[in-house]
Amino acid sequence: MATYSATAEELLTTKQESQLHVIWRRFRRHKMAVLGLVIILSLILMGAFSSYLTPYERDEPTADINLSPSGLHWLGTDELGRDMFTRIAFAARISLTVGFAVTFLTTLIGMTIGSVSGYFGGWVDNLAMRLVDFMLTIPSLPLLLVMSKILSSGGFIIQFPESVLRFFGWIMAVSDIKSIQQVLYIILILALLGWTSEARLIRGVILSLREQTFTEASRALGVSHTRIITRHMIPNALAPLIVASTLSVGGVIVVEAALSFLGFGIQPPIPTWGNLLQNAQNDLWLYPWKALYPGLFIFLTSLSFNFLGDGLRDALDPRLKI
Amino acid sequence: MGTYLVRRFLQLAVVILLATMVIYALLNAVPGGPLSGVRQELINTRGATGANVASDMARLQRDFDLDLPVWQSYLRWLIGWPKLADRPNRGGILFGDLGDSWQVARGQSVASLIQSRLGNTLLLMTSATLLSLLVAIPIGINAAVRQYSAFDYLATTGAFFGTAMPVFWFGMMMIMIFAYYFKQLGWFYLPTGNAVALRPYDVPFLGTVLPETILDRGLHLVLPTIVLSLLYMAAWSRYTRTSMLEVLRQDYVRTARAKGLVERLVISKHALRNALIPLVTIIALQIPGLFGGAILTETVFNWPGMGRLYISGLNAGDWPLVMSLLFITAVLTVVSNLLADVMYTFVDPRIRLS
């Protein structure tokens, strides 16, 4: 008897599902997003194991210059005889590091400014939003180029802590201090100009949450402003924030590639997808295949992050879908 | 409306003033000054104590007012005041004196340099804008009218790919296919590089094309226009779709259908007109681009326009040129923002500015 009633109970009540499980189930339905996630994970693995994938040295010139793709050199060699696949795999480390680091910083800055501005309102809000408006009126690519030019001209020297330099050097497999600094400059510039959309997003969410009863209740209980923002508001803003950040990583990678392509980003011999393309452009009429692969990786990465963001939007918050 | 415009104009003046400060500070407040690269170059070629390094540097500093206090040199650049007896008068950038280029084309005025490039950029940007509008609007409308149809999915996916595409790589792929491989195969190909050819060339079907003819210019224009349009098309077709979907939900569309109007007329007479209103903003915001050009596309296609002028100015350290271009783009951006808002009230009387 007892066993029967237990089964009936089991059949009648739906099984408890954890929040993550629900999200994962919804996310899985979005086939392209899953594919995007798989591609991103493989790119990360490709970057992480870049030194074991091929028998070639990244920066060592050889006599086999400008070979077309073959079994020996999967994606051919460049004008100094270096294996293209090795360089592209290493470049994944740089591009992904820049993409994630910039997004981390813009999210942090945007979250701080957006939540303070939305929560307190008044002149703080006014000032912050005028700053955002102002930054949006300045054309971004020309400004990025100028700032990159100024920083790389050697006029400014920012002292980064030793540990930061060592950490980024380790992630990107770059030992030369000057090159690491160059990458950090690019990260700083992109972060400095990129936080506006995140700030607006968070501000919007906070503005709507500020008037809700649970905020009023917390305030009546004497909870501090910082705690209300970090414990009650930011968690509520997490879904749109994760989506925006994911989309931002793809965008940052394309912008970094554009800067390097124009010669204002990270300089050779450190390979990035952008500066590999710049070299390829000079040889476009002699060895056109050299332009194909670095750009294909940029496109694939940016597309994957876009699909991933789209899938996350559906999975995290179905209301967000337009 | 009147008070609104006055307030907006005041805001506009403040923003432009701030922008000039940022531009000036960016380019002049660098430790070592904007000429630090030049000093290094002089030392490299002549040696640290070489002939006239110090005096040449002093002369250059003087030419750019860099030996004056910052506020004086900024004001002289901005409005040409204070006038100094021992230096040439400046007109001030606010009054249209952009100064002289000193590296890209030494001695030539920035204004004449801009004049020589502006035509090419206007040609490229206008054709790309027109092409994108002509393609994007029908796509967006169709996708909205047949929401969730195969066409809608195709358009959505296409827009997805378009926004993710790095434009410089797309350009190189187009050159590789339509200029390089098509030529190798002896097919009809498109010439690239520069806006015109230097010498006559043969194209299948068209025969010999003479340089600087309309045909030559047209052929050179095709690929950059297509590449540049891809980006706009992706964004604008989505924009049109969203706007059309919004309008199709409105009561007056339901009313039109309820009184028995044929669907074709509901779409073309009632919905379309209102759906296109937001596009006014897009067109107005395109103005700074018409002047500033497309840096990446122009670089890939070696198109002698404003974007490339900016890049060569930056590369050469031609600060008067770079500052002028940044200034003009900033002013145009602010003005076109205002223009977009004002135009909006004319096409949509429901919106009142206050």
Side-chain angles (χ1 to χ4, degrees), chain A residues 217-284:
Chain A
S218 330
R219 222 172 291 154
L221 283 169
V223 182
S224 71
H225 292 313
T226 333
R227 204 175 158 81
I228 292 181
I229 290 180
T230 52
R231 281 299 166 93
H232 296 279
M233 301 205 148
I234 301 232
N236 272 303
L238 222 50
L241 199 61
I242 290 174
V243 174
S245 310
T246 312
L247 295 175
S248 143
V249 178
V252 168
I253 288 176
V254 174
V255 174
E256 183 275 311
L259 283 182
S260 296
F261 170 72
L262 290 170
F264 289 85
I266 296 153
Q267 304 293 327
I270 304 297
T272 71
W273 292 334
N275 70 32
L276 290 176
L277 262 186
Q278 188 193 23
N279 286 338
Q281 201 203 7
N282 301 332
D283 286 346
L284 200 57

Side-chain angles (χ1 to χ4, degrees), chain B residues 16 19 29 39 52 84 92 117 142 151 163 167 185 201-202 222 226 236 241 247 256 262 276 282 287 318 352-353:
Chain B
I16 289 177
R39 183 197 305 272
N52 307 331
L84 297 172
R117 298 292 191 96
N142 263 314
F151 180 83
T163 36
V167 62
L185 292 167
Y201 54 98
D202 293 307
V222 175
I226 291 177
W236 295 352
R241 177 179 179 273
V247 171
V262 268
L276 292 185
I282 284 186
I287 295 172
D318 197 333
R352 292 218 176 77
L353 301 174

Side-chain angles (χ1 to χ4, degrees), chain A residues 32 130 134 136-139 141-143 145-147 149-150 153-157 247 254 257-259 261-264 273-274 277-278 280-282 284-299 302-304 306-308 310 321-322, chain B residues 11 14-16 18-19 22 26-27 29-32 36 147-148 157 160-169 171-173 175-176 179-181 183 190 192-193 241-242 295-296 299-302 310-311 314-317 319 322 326 329-330 333-334 337:
Chain A
M32 295 310 276
R130 289 296 81 75
F134 179 64
L136 289 176
T137 54
I138 303 179
L141 187 58
L143 194 62
L145 292 171
V146 170
M147 290 179 74
K149 170 85 183 175
I150 290 168
S153 70
F156 270 111
I157 292 164
L247 295 175
V254 174
L259 283 182
F261 170 72
L262 290 170
F264 289 85
W273 292 334
L277 262 186
Q278 188 193 23
Q281 201 203 7
N282 301 332
L284 200 57
W285 297 103
L286 292 169
Y287 315 104
W289 69 84
K290 279 164 55 179
L292 180 59
Y293 301 107
L296 198 62
F297 275 88
I298 305 172
F299 181 44
S302 140
L303 199 61
S304 301
N306 272 315
F307 276 125
L308 181 64
D310 209 39
K321 196 170 168 67
I322 346 159
Chain B
Q11 273 177 7
V14 172
V15 170
I16 289 177
L18 273 176
V22 170
L26 263 180
L27 295 177
V30 185
S36 56
Q147 198 184 3
Y148 303 129
T157 318
F160 227 99
F161 277 72
T163 36
M165 179 74 80
V167 62
F168 43 105
W169 179 64
M172 286 163 91
M173 290 300 100
I175 294 176
M176 189 173 118
Y180 181 80
Y181 283 121
K183 192 177 181 183
L190 289 159
T192 60
R241 177 179 179 273
T242 317
I295 290 176
L296 289 164
T299 304
V300 172
F301 288 97
N302 217 350
Y310 182 76
I311 290 288
L314 260 188
N315 268 328
W319 301 121
V322 171
L326 277 176
T329 324
T333 314
V334 184
N337 265 315

Side-chain angles (χ1 to χ4, degrees), chain A:
Chain A
M1 246 350 231
T3 47
Y4 279 119
S5 66
T7 8
E9 192 123 303
E10 252 170 47
L11 284 169
L12 284 171
T13 53
T14 45
K15 225 167 78 190
Q16 268 284 339
E17 256 185 323
S18 75
Q19 182 79 18
L20 272 177
H21 198 91
V22 177
I23 291 173
W24 172 241
R25 199 161 45 78
R26 273 196 245 137
F27 179 75
R28 241 179 7 196
R29 274 204 302 250
H30 201 310
K31 293 281 178 299
M32 295 310 276
V34 176
L35 185 66
L37 183 65
V38 170
I39 291 177
I40 291 166
L41 289 178
S42 350
L43 285 170
I44 293 174
L45 284 179
M46 181 180 89
F49 295 103
S50 47
S51 41
Y52 307 106
L53 290 176
T54 57
Y56 306 105
E57 285 290 316
R58 185 185 70 195
D59 297 336
E60 200 65 51
T62 68
D64 308 323
I65 58 167
N66 294 321
L67 295 180
S68 50
S70 66
L72 226 58
H73 295 278
W74 294 344
L75 304 183
T77 58
D78 69 359
E79 62 284 348
L80 293 178
R82 297 169 296 191
D83 182 56
M84 274 297 254
F85 180 69
T86 314
R87 290 181 72 71
I88 287 178
F90 265 104
R93 289 178 97 113
I94 318 255
S95 291
L96 290 169
T97 307
V98 172
F100 284 119
V102 170
T103 304
F104 176 75
L105 286 177
T106 53
T107 309
L108 206 66
I109 303 173
M111 209 156 71
T112 315
I113 295 185
S115 52
V116 168
S117 151
Y119 185 80
F120 292 107
W123 66 269
V124 180
D125 184 33
N126 223 328
L127 192 73
M129 286 306 111
R130 289 296 81 75
L131 180 64
V132 169
D133 286 346
F134 179 64
M135 287 181 66
L136 289 176
T137 54
I138 303 179
S140 62
L141 187 58
L143 194 62
L144 281 174
L145 292 171
V146 170
M147 290 179 74
S148 165
K149 170 85 183 175
I150 290 168
L151 278 182
S152 59
S153 70
F156 270 111
I157 292 164
I158 301 173
Q159 282 296 330
F160 293 104
E162 179 75 31
S163 53
V164 173
L165 285 174
R166 208 174 304 143
F167 176 70
F168 276 93
W170 173 70
I171 293 188
M172 299 185 299
V174 175
S175 50
D176 174 31
I177 296 280
K178 260 191 101 152
S179 304
I180 303 172
Q181 258 173 346
Q182 214 172 52
V183 179
L184 291 177
Y185 285 155
I186 296 293
I187 291 176
L188 279 185
I189 295 172
L190 288 174
L192 218 58
L193 294 177
W195 54 268
T196 47
S197 52
E198 265 101 342
R200 277 198 165 167
L201 181 84
I202 289 294
R203 178 178 170 269
V205 178
I206 302 265
L207 273 181
S208 70
L209 291 175
R210 199 174 59 169
E211 307 306 326
Q212 307 231 334
T213 14
F214 71 84
T215 319
E216 215 179 308
S218 330
R219 222 172 291 154
L221 283 169
V223 182
S224 71
H225 292 313
T226 333
R227 204 175 158 81
I228 292 181
I229 290 180
T230 52
R231 281 299 166 93
H232 296 279
M233 301 205 148
I234 301 232
N236 272 303
L238 222 50
L241 199 61
I242 290 174
V243 174
S245 310
T246 312
L247 295 175
S248 143
V249 178
V252 168
I253 288 176
V254 174
V255 174
E256 183 275 311
L259 283 182
S260 296
F261 170 72
L262 290 170
F264 289 85
I266 296 153
Q267 304 293 327
I270 304 297
T272 71
W273 292 334
N275 70 32
L276 290 176
L277 262 186
Q278 188 193 23
N279 286 338
Q281 201 203 7
N282 301 332
D283 286 346
L284 200 57
W285 297 103
L286 292 169
Y287 315 104
W289 69 84
K290 279 164 55 179
L292 180 59
Y293 301 107
L296 198 62
F297 275 88
I298 305 172
F299 181 44
L300 209 61
T301 315
S302 140
L303 199 61
S304 301
F305 276 106
N306 272 315
F307 276 125
L308 181 64
D310 209 39
L312 283 175
R313 174 170 20 223
D314 293 352
L316 290 174
D317 193 350
R319 281 170 309 168
L320 285 172
K321 196 170 168 67
I322 346 159

Side-chain angles (χ1 to χ4, degrees), chain B residues 120-121 123-124 194-195 220-221 224 298-299 301-305 308:
Chain B
N120 284 326
T121 283
L123 181 66
L124 174 62
N194 215 326
H220 275 87
L221 189 61
E298 288 184 7
T299 304
F301 288 97
N302 217 350
W303 186 262
R308 290 246 307 143

